[in-house]
Amino acid sequence: MGLPPMLNALQGRFFILPAIAFLAGIIAHLGFAPYDQQWAVPVSLIALFALLHHHKVNSVGTAFGLGLAFGCGLFLAGLRWVHVSLDIFGGLPLIVTLILMLLLALYLALYPALACYLFIKYRQPQWPLFNVLLFTSAWLVTEYLRGIVLTGFPWLSLGYSQTTGLYSSAASVIGMLGLSAIICLLSTLAFYTIKRHLKSAVLLIIVAFGSFSLTSQHQLIEQDRSVNLALIQGNIEQSAKWDAKAMWPTITRYMDLSREHFDSDVIIWPEAAMPAVEGWVQDYLKLMDSAAAFNDSAIITGIIGRTSKKNIAPNLAAKPPSSINHDYFNAIMTVGNATDSRNIGGIYQPSHDNRYYKHQLLPIGEFVPLQSLLRPLAPLFNLPMSSFARGDWAQNNLTARGFKFSPAICYEIAFGDLVRANMKSDTDFLLTISNDAWFGESIGPHQHMQIAQMRAVELGRPLIRVTNTGVTAIVDQYGKIVNKLPQFKEAVLRANVKTVTGETFFYRHGQTPFVILFGCLLGICMLAGHRQNRLTQKLATINDGYSLTKD
């Protein structure tokens, strides 16, 4: 075999198709914030589905490679903001951060690769609608697994690209994962429609128009009751966030920004706005409590909580406060007036329960797996406040001036089941506080905001988002941003937000029935595909035997 034919073979088999899949993945990330090109994800998925039907894609290994290439394109482009935190705050050389980014993308790309593997293994060329269901269920199940395996990383799930799109209201019934299913169905049916398959064309129209009308938002009722909010964006640089010398200047800045807004019902500070362990600043918290209560207001702030561990041996418990005998939590707490009647006495006590401890911790940033091995390796594994304990899965709402806030801290807002578990039927608002200064002027904070908007749609409640550097915003119960502050600016957002009653279908039932449905559908498709493949092989063997006998 000469060199030119060999090059042509390599180019055709190992370069062109994966390159197209990789490019399709890059295009797909344009469907997410801040670009919001909602056509990008369906078009990219059609391209991937077309590649899986290419005549050279006749093995599960090739299909797996195409899915891996697509995923790498999506996650390298869409998660490039991770490099900012690794490079600037992780203390690692550039080459190391690039390798870590590649490893992260490769890991996340395993899930679309698995979906493509399952599709090729069990597809039936003569059954287009079977293939539609097989691909959709495989993608949905693997996307769900990506959100739970190894603590989960559900970022850039396809459904988020439709947060404010034509089908966004459907999330009130089927959630974000359901929007991913709609995208998969529309994309695969569109491919077969282009191939002139009549039944696919009919189903494409049914799914397109049926999904558009799918909603339970009519069950939501806006009330006359409203809360007067002041959202404080301090714009503290990340380099100073955990500097001991900057602790009091940071707290003072937030209090100075709040002082002239005590006429509001509730003042909200972002994640770790008080960058101190609660025990260090108890006297100041009592002053904040008294000042807010005197003005018939309340302050909700992020802080570092600390509790004593139980069943500690006396010789250890006698030591000074440390992680040996105390648990530390990324926390939110309320001080001031918790009720709708005036109470100048305040509520703050070191053990008061008007607080929330973060449950879904960020790997490396808030806890280090295998820390005895990893911490000595690099500054990345010794970031400030990277040894937090985990709060309970479901906790009480925060109360402030008689209003109930269902909290989520930073990364938690990406976990729909967790946010739903902490919302109650009488919750007035969803609240998420964050510190996205880690990600600088990248696309990360915008994607984070988009994810928060999806939770508002799913659960049918206005959402309040307060961050250190932005995006600080107010989102209505339909997922639309109604007011926000510019990024990287010290500012206060004042707004009156009305309460909403009623329950969405998603709040009542969650995504579990949906996951079970598509899990069962995938199992049925795999079983049917396996049996059909065995039958096809038997028929091929019989035909081969017949041909040999005849010859």
Side-chain angles (χ1 to χ4, degrees):
M1 184 176 185
L3 184 61
M6 182 183 295
L7 291 176
N8 289 335
L10 288 173
Q11 187 181 41
R13 178 166 296 182
F14 301 117
F15 176 72
I16 295 296
L17 298 185
I20 295 173
F22 183 79
L23 179 61
I26 293 176
I27 293 173
H29 103 282
L30 298 177
F32 302 89
Y35 311 108
D36 295 318
Q37 301 298 311
Q38 289 155 6
W39 56 267
V41 171
V43 168
S44 299
L45 215 57
I46 291 172
L48 176 62
F49 199 62
L51 290 174
L52 293 173
H53 283 76
H54 194 277
H55 68 277
K56 292 183 179 179
V57 182
N58 50 21
S59 70
V60 292
T62 305
F64 187 89
L66 289 178
L68 198 68
F70 179 89
C72 282
L74 171 62
F75 295 118
L76 283 174
L79 297 179
R80 62 184 183 273
W81 49 267
V82 175
H83 166 74
V84 176
S85 57
L86 292 176
D87 182 45
I88 297 176
F89 304 110
L92 296 176
L94 176 61
I95 185 64
V96 177
T97 64
L98 294 177
I99 291 173
L100 289 175
M101 273 295 303
L102 178 60
L103 290 175
L104 174 63
L106 283 170
Y107 164 69
L108 297 174
L110 290 175
Y111 294 93
L114 177 59
C116 293
Y117 171 93
L118 293 173
F119 174 74
I120 292 298
K121 185 173 179 63
Y122 298 106
R123 70 172 174 175
Q124 302 301 318
Q126 71 278 21
W127 299 345
L129 297 185
F130 172 86
N131 294 336
V132 168
L133 293 179
L134 173 61
F135 182 85
T136 299
S137 58
W139 193 282
L140 262 291
V141 170
T142 54
E143 190 169 271
Y144 171 75
L145 290 175
R146 179 163 65 87
I148 61 172
V149 174
L150 299 178
T151 77
F153 193 79
W155 220 273
L156 294 184
S157 294
L158 299 188
Y160 285 123
S161 67
Q162 303 300 311
T163 297
T164 56
L166 290 174
Y167 301 110
S168 63
S169 62
S172 65
V173 178
I174 56 179
M176 180 279 299
L177 204 61
L179 294 187
S180 293
I182 291 175
I183 293 172
C184 289
L185 287 171
L186 291 177
S187 301
T188 51
L189 289 170
F191 170 80
Y192 284 124
T193 298
I194 294 171
K195 301 280 284 184
R196 299 183 180 180
H197 185 255
L198 181 59
K199 291 181 180 179
S200 294
V202 173
L203 282 175
L204 176 64
I205 295 172
I206 293 173
V207 172
F209 285 94
S211 300
F212 180 74
S213 61
L214 186 64
T215 181
S216 64
Q217 291 178 340
H218 58 275
Q219 299 175 17
L220 304 177
I221 303 172
E222 192 173 82
Q223 304 292 296
D224 291 332
R225 179 171 172 255
S226 64
V227 63
N228 187 345
L229 295 172
L231 312 183
I232 314 298
Q233 182 172 288
N235 196 35
I236 307 296
E237 292 185 5
Q238 187 59 36
S239 58
K241 188 67 180 176
W242 298 111
D243 187 342
K245 295 179 180 178
M247 183 185 79
W248 284 111
T250 296
I251 296 172
T252 301
R253 179 185 296 187
Y254 275 102
M255 181 51 75
D256 288 343
L257 289 169
S258 302
R259 191 168 288 111
E260 62 184 81
H261 299 285
F262 273 126
D263 59 324
S264 60
D265 294 320
V266 183
I267 300 167
I268 306 178
W269 297 3
E271 179 186 14
M274 300 191 76
V277 176
E278 181 183 352
W280 303 349
V281 291
Q282 284 184 4
D283 290 341
Y284 196 85
L285 286 168
K286 291 177 181 177
L287 291 174
M288 288 172 56
D289 184 52
S290 298
F294 180 80
N295 288 280
D296 199 20
S297 183
I299 299 176
I300 299 176
T301 180
I303 195 171
I304 309 305
R306 183 177 72 191
T307 63
S308 297
K309 290 183 179 179
K310 298 179 180 179
N311 302 321
I312 297 294
N315 63 319
L316 293 177
K319 294 182 178 182
S322 69
S323 59
I324 296 176
N325 56 354
H326 286 81
D327 285 323
Y328 293 82
F329 300 89
N330 192 347
I332 317 176
M333 69 166 57
T334 303
V335 298
N337 191 2
T339 68
D340 56 1
S341 59
R342 190 172 180 83
N343 175 20
I344 62 173
I347 62 169
Y348 177 72
Q349 294 292 333
S351 59
H352 85 313
D353 60 0
N354 204 342
R355 62 180 68 208
Y356 171 86
Y357 292 146
K358 187 176 183 182
H359 173 82
Q360 190 73 41
L361 302 178
L362 181 65
I364 309 302
E366 292 178 316
F367 81 98
V368 179
L370 304 173
Q371 58 178 326
S372 61
L373 297 175
L374 295 179
R375 285 194 184 278
L377 295 180
L380 172 68
F381 303 113
N382 287 283
L383 295 173
M385 299 299 164
S386 58
S387 296
F388 283 125
R390 191 184 301 275
D392 293 336
W393 169 259
Q395 301 174 50
N396 293 330
N397 284 182
L398 298 173
T399 58
R401 278 290 278 114
F403 296 94
K404 294 188 175 184
F405 295 82
S406 178
I409 300 178
C410 192
Y411 179 59
E412 289 186 311
I413 200 66
F415 295 83
D417 282 338
L418 176 63
V419 178
R420 174 178 170 268
N422 282 277
M423 179 177 151
K424 319 300 179 186
S425 59
D426 60 350
T427 293
D428 294 307
F429 305 102
L430 303 178
L431 169 65
T432 179
I433 63 172
S434 186
N435 175 31
D436 287 351
W438 287 101
F439 312 122
E441 298 182 17
S442 69
I443 63 177
H446 301 282
Q447 293 176 357
H448 205 175
M449 182 73 245
Q450 185 180 56
I451 290 170
Q453 291 173 254
M454 179 60 72
R455 301 289 89 83
V457 181
E458 289 175 340
L459 299 174
R461 288 293 183 273
L463 177 138
I464 315 302
R465 186 169 192 263
V466 188
T467 71
N468 174 35
T469 57
V471 180
T472 295
I474 295 171
V475 179
D476 67 15
Q477 63 271 29
Y478 308 115
K480 306 297 190 296
I481 296 176
V482 295
N483 210 339
K484 69 176 181 178
L485 292 175
Q487 283 184 283
F488 311 111
K489 181 180 179 181
E490 180 184 295
V492 178
L493 176 58
R494 290 293 302 263
N496 278 295
V497 184
K498 291 186 176 181
T499 59
V500 173
T501 61
E503 298 176 353
T504 63
F505 184 91
F506 181 85
Y507 169 71
R508 291 194 298 271
H509 302 286
Q511 68 177 9
T512 300
F514 194 73
V515 172
I516 292 174
L517 171 64
F518 275 90
C520 292
L521 183 60
L522 176 59
I524 292 170
C525 287
M526 290 170 63
L527 180 61
H530 176 69
R531 289 183 174 180
Q532 184 62 30
N533 288 340
R534 289 186 62 183
L535 178 60
T536 301
Q537 290 173 359
K538 287 181 179 180
L539 291 175
T541 302
I542 293 172
N543 288 334
D544 288 342
Y546 176 77
S547 298
L548 289 173
T549 302
K550 186 175 180 180
D551 292 342

